[in-house]
Structure formats: C-alpha cells, structure tokens
Amino acid sequence: MHVTPVLTSAALDAERGAALFFKCENFQKTGAFKARGAHNAVYALSEAEAARGVLTHSSGNHGAALALAARTRGIPATVVVPQGAVGPKVDAIRRHGATVVMCGPTLAEREAEAARLERDSGAVFVHPSNDARVIAGQGTAALELLEQEPGLDTLVAPVGGGGILSGTALAAAGRPILVYGAEPAEADDGARSLREGRLLPAGPSRTIADGLRSSLGDLTFAIIRARVAAILTVTEEQIRDAMGELSQYLQIVVEPSSAVAYAAVAANPDTFRGRRVGILLTGGNVERTPAAGA
C-alpha cells in the first residue's frame, strides 16, 4: 500500500478551534482505504482457497479494491454491484479485471445475489467490512496515521459497514485516544445501534454518501460498541459543505462518504475544541461533471 500523506491547514485549525490532521486515503491505490482491507484478505487466503477465486458485493470502492488485489495475486474476482452505483467506481471494478454482476439497489438484493453466486461458483466471499481480515487491513490507515502524528488524542472515521471505524478503534487500543464515528443522518443505523445497544439494520437511504449506506455487522458492531465514544450524524448540506471546504483549504477532492468525518468535526465544535484530531479521509472517487461545452 501507499503510505498516504497527512495534510494540515492553519486556517481550518483556527476556524475549528482544534489541530486537525487529515489522513488522505484518497491518494491510496484505487483511490480509497478499501485497498488495505481487500489486499490483506486476499493475501491471507490459502492456495486452495485462492484457486476458487473471490466474490463480494460493493457499491464501488471495495469492489475495485478486491478486483485489484485478486488481479495482483492472479485469481478471478466477481463483484455484485447495485443499480445506481457511481459510474467511475463501477468502471474501476471492470478496469481491474473483475466480472461485474448488476443487481437491485437494496442491500438485501446485493446480499441475496452474492449468496447465490457463492453457492453456484464456490468462490470465497470477502465481505466489504464484516471480516476480521478486512478490519485488520483497514485499521492500518489509522495505525500509520498514529506513527506519522504520535501526539493525537482523537480520531474520527466514517461509518457504513464499520470496517474503517472498527479498525481505527483497534489501532487506537491501549492509547489515551478518543475514537468517534461519523455518519449521514440519512443513514444513521450505526448511531441508532450504538444508542440502543443492539444491532439495527440499515433502511433505504438516498444519502449522497453512497459508500455509507450499508449496515454494521456483528464483528464491526461489537468492536465499535466496546471502543468508540460516539457516532455523530451530519446532514446532507453539512456533507456538501465539508467537501467544499476540503477542496478550498486542502486543494484535494474527496467523495461524500469521505467528507462525512470532517463534517462531523465541523458540526460539533464543543466536542473537538482544543484537541488534536486525526481525521480519516477515506476516498476520492467522485463522479466528474463535464466542463461546459464538453
């Protein structure tokens, strides 16, 4: 994996009243942190398992990451993709050599189609988040950040399926660091699950943060429940504002799911004031709007 950079902005620090350190996984292979978990999972397979190929369902980033990891190891990959997935993400899955199987837009339809293909093909299913190998791989982003900036006292990561947040929480274990999740209010099953102390499913969602529409799993929820201080929710407008500020102040492009972490910091000044905050910017795969006249 690339050792991704950590960016800072004195202007944003002054505006937010905190020292902010942005871990830029938008510069990772495939443009997202998902490459870490996918490669860890694929290279953990035995030779016999690898020979069967791998399979997953994904709205984009995990699918592209698994496709690249499989191609690197020389094994086949199949990715179930829901209707309405972001075009460049689907293109990346195909570009890295995986077979794409389209399905209905809901998580239930994704899971059902993946289960059918697993039965029919015998391929090894690699869950986008609820897999110990994937969680461990995702956690290396935060582990790397803590090596780059050892004085951090707070970490913030987005939460959908919970792989990056649970991995971040494990990376911070044993250190005096508070870990927060960030989630769209339009897809707040993680926050509701944490409040109620039981795993609640994600319902239909139209949040622009397409990578965060999935549900927590039993593995990720157990880690988050034990090790995460809170999951903070943000509005669609706050997500868009966060994307704009990161573009303006850091001169980088991040996708909505990635901007959610910074949006949570901006929306909760009292929680983060005076702290040294590591923010996981998880990806930069966005739909590009053609220039006028193009």
Side-chain angles (χ1 to χ4, degrees):
M1 295 295 97
H2 297 316
V3 176
T4 53
V6 179
L7 299 185
T8 59
S9 166
L12 279 182
D13 287 357
E15 192 166 332
R16 301 303 168 202
L20 307 180
F21 300 84
F22 296 91
K23 179 62 169 166
C24 294
E25 287 294 290
N26 50 308
F27 296 125
Q28 189 50 267
K29 292 181 179 180
T30 72
F33 77 101
K34 293 282 191 178
R36 296 176 182 269
H39 281 75
N40 196 52
V42 166
Y43 278 88
L45 298 175
S46 68
E47 290 299 325
E49 290 172 320
R52 292 156 48 194
V54 289
L55 163 72
T56 195
H57 59 73
S58 170
S59 62
N61 284 339
H62 175 68
L66 191 72
L68 176 61
R71 189 183 73 184
T72 304
R73 189 163 178 185
I75 62 176
T78 301
V79 181
V80 175
V81 177
Q83 296 169 10
V86 175
K89 294 184 179 182
V90 182
D91 292 343
I93 295 171
R94 291 193 173 102
R95 186 170 64 250
H96 292 307
T99 298
V100 171
V101 177
M102 301 302 297
C103 72
T106 69
L107 179 61
E109 288 169 305
R110 286 166 51 168
E111 291 175 339
E113 182 63 13
R116 183 189 69 78
L117 290 170
E118 185 179 13
R119 288 193 305 270
D120 292 349
S121 70
V124 177
F125 181 70
V126 180
H127 194 279
S129 54
N130 201 50
D131 182 301
R133 301 160 300 186
V134 170
I135 293 168
Q138 315 301 38
T140 64
L143 190 64
E144 198 173 276
L145 171 59
L146 293 173
E147 292 171 349
Q148 292 165 305
E149 298 292 341
L152 299 180
D153 55 34
T154 308
L155 293 173
V156 186
V159 56
I164 186 67
L165 180 57
S166 56
T168 296
L170 290 174
R175 308 173 193 248
I177 294 174
L178 289 174
V179 178
Y180 291 90
E183 191 173 42
E186 295 289 329
D188 67 344
D189 58 288
R192 290 186 291 108
S193 295
L194 197 58
R195 283 196 305 269
E196 296 194 21
R198 61 190 180 94
L199 192 57
L200 299 173
S205 173
R206 296 181 62 85
T207 178
I208 58 171
D210 62 292
L212 304 183
R213 293 173 186 162
S214 52
S215 297
L216 295 174
D218 57 344
L219 293 179
T220 55
F221 180 58
I223 296 167
I224 290 167
R225 188 179 181 189
R227 299 181 180 273
V228 171
I231 296 177
L232 308 171
T233 60
V234 293
T235 66
E236 299 297 287
E237 182 179 5
Q238 288 169 334
I239 297 170
R240 291 187 180 92
D241 288 346
M243 291 176 70
E245 289 186 20
L246 294 171
S247 175
Q248 177 183 352
Y249 290 100
L250 299 184
Q251 300 295 302
I252 61 173
V253 174
V254 298
E255 60 192 81
S257 300
S258 178
V260 166
Y262 171 61
V265 173
N268 295 274
D270 291 342
T271 300
F272 298 101
R273 186 174 291 113
R275 303 191 70 84
R276 294 175 61 82
V277 186
I279 299 173
L280 278 295
L281 297 180
T282 50
N285 295 314
V286 296
E287 195 100 51
R288 298 300 198 272
T289 301

